Each structure stands twice: as C-alpha cells, then as structure tokens.
Amino acid sequence: MELITFLVIGALAGFAAGLFGVGGGTIIVPLLFIVFTQMGYSPDVVMHLALGTSLATIIVTSISSLMAHNTKGSVMWPVFKNLAPGMALGCFFGAGVAGLISGIHLQIIVGIFLLWVAYRMFAKAKNQTASSTSNTADQDTQFNEIALPSTPKQLAAGGVIGIASAIFGIGGGSLTVPYLTRYGVVMQKAVGTSAACGLPIAIAGALGFMFFGMQQKIDVPNTIGFVHIYAFLGISVMSFFTAKLGAKVAHILSPAMLKKCFSVLLTIVGCYFLYKGLR
C-alpha cells in the first residue's frame, strides 16, 4: 500500500511540475508531509523526511531537465562550474542545519517560503507579457557582455543557494534563476543553467539528509537517514512519465491562468504549514 501511495504522489507531482513549470519539490514536500503524518511517523522527523526524500527524487528529474536544456544550448557551463561546488557543499551541510532545526520550526520556514513563491508566481502571471525572442548568436553576445560577480563571489552565492535548497527541499531553481537574471543573463540561459545546478544540489542534499539522518538514528522503517526508499522509488518513476503529460496539457491552457491557480494552491499549502507550526 505504501508503494502505491508513493506512485500516486509521483504521478501528481510530475504532472503538476510539467503543468505549472516548477520544480517538483514545491509539490512533493507538502504531499509527503501529509502522507508521512498519516502513516504515524513522529512529528519531530516528518518534515525532515519530506525534505530529504524530495531532494532525492529531484536527482532523477534534474537529469532529464539538464539533458533537454543542454540540447538547446541554454546551459552556461562556465557559470555552472563556478556555482556548483558551493551549491553542493552548501546543500550537504544545509541538510545538517535542517537536522538541527525542530520539525515545527521547519514547517514555519517552509510555509513562509511557499507563500513567497506563490506571491512571485502570481505577480509574474499578472504582469506576463510576450517576451521578445533572440537568436543564439545574440544571446551568446549578451552572455559575453554580462558582468557576473567574481568566481569567489559566485562560489559563495552557490553556498547560500545550496543551504537554502536543503532547508526548503528544492532543486534551487527558485533562487538560482533570480540570481542569474539579476546580472542580466537572458531567461532561457538562466533556466537552463539552473536546471544543471539542480543535479549537484539534489545529489549533495540527498547524501546530506542520509548522513545526518543516520547520525540521529531515527526509528522509521524503509529509510536511509532522512530519505524514505519506497517514496524515492515510487515518486521518481511516476514523475518521470507524468511530467511530460503535464507539459502537453500546459500548452493547451493559458500559462497566466495556470500560474495563478498554482499560486493559490501554494498559498493554501503555505498557510497550512504555518497553521501546523504555529499551533
């Protein structure tokens, strides 16, 4: 029954990720929190399990996303090489930081984060306009003229993004894309590079939650540290297939309306986490 439940979560998470164009973490974390709670797991570890398992599942989806963006030439590999080490280290040790935070406080932190994502998504949907397209040569020229921070600063920024990704259980796209676009990187390349950065974040984060979870010797079946094995397998398999279906449906419906609907959903979930945490 557990495996069937996780297959259903994976199907929903993958479809929603493809439909709304967001990372699966914002969907997987709330669903796993509810399911793990209903399974009777200790409130002290439920949120940690949801975050660690979410990052583990992102490994699979990030590989698929990375390959797709790299085919289109939208990954800035020099920037990736500068950001990735900090992201990996930050996310690994960020898992340790998350392990030190109580389950209640994690609920409040994630709830606030989801409300922030909901606000940004709603604002983008409201102000969405047709963006002008440019060819690859123009984008490459623009990239060469971008004044990105120095390598040490990019390394430090990657560390901050990695720590935050571990605490929120996400692939980092909600933070990496704004960071790159702030310095004038075109949206296509920012998204592509962010997709590439999601892989080291997910791998390091999953390993971190496994390692630090094992140090705490939690009494939960079918887990390695803070990563639930059945949930990882079920969600990874199903989300890989249903994400493509969600993407197809997204092309039929209005993107602005989809973002507004998803922002409402995130607002409800964020308020739910705040209610559980503050109660």
Side-chain angles (χ1 to χ4, degrees), residues 89-119:
L89 288 173
C91 201
F92 181 85
F93 289 107
V97 173
L100 299 175
I101 302 174
S102 69
I104 292 175
H105 289 151
L106 271 179
Q107 292 172 31
I108 295 174
I109 292 171
V110 173
I112 294 174
F113 172 73
L114 290 177
L115 291 176
W116 175 71
V117 174
Y119 168 76

Side-chain angles (χ1 to χ4, degrees), residues 29 38 44 73 83 98 133-134 142-143 149 157 170 182 186 191 208 210 215 217 252 257-258 262 264 271 276:
V29 171
Q38 294 300 315
D44 295 331
L83 292 174
T133 58
S134 56
Q142 183 175 353
F143 170 64
I170 60 173
R182 176 185 177 185
V186 293
V191 172
M210 287 180 182
Q215 304 305 306
K217 299 179 180 179
I252 301 174
M257 180 57 68
L258 285 174
F262 189 61
V264 171
C271 289
K276 294 283 289 186

